[in-house]
């Protein structure tokens, strides 16, 4: 069982993502903005992070950049899960260190495939 951190400012999205993560048999923690997500990434050291982009305080691009450049968290794969569906958004997100980019609305199968692919094999 892996530990997955879900970062999204929408309570309904947090609930939906948590439901999918737990259905896959993983433990789930949540944060409601990018700044809280960065802090939880440092303290919890999750196996994977699902990150929204459009959030208050610190957006998902900024939070992803912070996590992937911080020595203590750079090993954690970050998946951007967002409504921003332009090629430039996708390219920018990957340049910030994201390992995958999923646009909302997404299928449960699509999310499950990305999570399974990116989780460390020991998890």
């Amino acid at each position: 069982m892996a530990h997955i951190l879900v970062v999204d400012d929408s309570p309904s999205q947090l609930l939906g993502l948590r439901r999918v993560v737990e259905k896959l048999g993983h433990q789930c923690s949540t944060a409601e903005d990018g700044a809280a997500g960065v802090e939880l990434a440092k303290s919890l050291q999750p196996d994977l992070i699902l990150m929204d982009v459009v959030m208050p305080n610190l957006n998902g691009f900024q939070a992803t950049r912070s996590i992937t450049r911080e020595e203590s968290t750079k090993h954690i794969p970050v998946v951007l899960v967002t409504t921003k569906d332009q090629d430039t958004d996708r390219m920018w997100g990957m340049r910030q260190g994201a390992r995958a980019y999923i646009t909302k609305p997404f299928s449960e199968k699509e999310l499950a495939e990305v999570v399974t692919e990116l989780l460390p094999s020991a998890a």
Side-chain angles (χ1 to χ4, degrees):
M1 173 171 69
H3 184 191
I4 297 176
L5 173 62
V6 177
V7 185
D8 200 307
D9 62 326
S10 162
S12 62
Q13 287 293 323
L14 276 178
L15 183 63
L17 286 164
R18 174 189 283 274
R19 197 172 287 141
V20 173
V21 166
E22 290 175 347
K23 188 174 179 182
L24 292 171
H26 303 300
Q27 179 185 352
C28 184
S29 296
T30 60
E32 295 182 1
D33 65 53
V38 170
E39 291 309 308
L40 280 176
K42 290 177 186 175
S43 64
L44 298 176
Q45 292 290 305
D47 298 297
L48 182 90
I49 300 171
L50 299 175
M51 177 83 68
D52 185 24
V53 171
V54 182
M55 296 183 288
N57 299 326
L58 198 64
N59 71 43
F61 290 143
Q62 295 165 320
T64 297
R65 184 171 53 244
S66 178
I67 290 165
T68 59
R69 287 171 174 61
E70 166 74 33
E71 194 60 38
S72 66
T73 54
K74 69 181 185 181
H75 66 282
I76 304 168
V78 177
V79 177
L80 290 170
V81 184
T82 178
T83 56
K84 296 181 75 62
D85 63 356
Q86 300 297 306
D87 287 341
T88 53
D89 296 321
R90 181 179 300 274
M91 186 177 69
W92 184 246
M94 300 306 276
R95 289 190 62 190
Q96 304 316 301
R99 299 279 293 283
Y101 195 102
I102 298 174
T103 53
K104 298 174 186 175
F106 54 86
S107 71
E108 190 173 313
K109 180 179 184 281
E110 178 185 14
L111 184 66
E113 286 173 358
V114 170
V115 166
T116 303
E117 177 185 325
L118 290 177
L119 277 175
S121 55

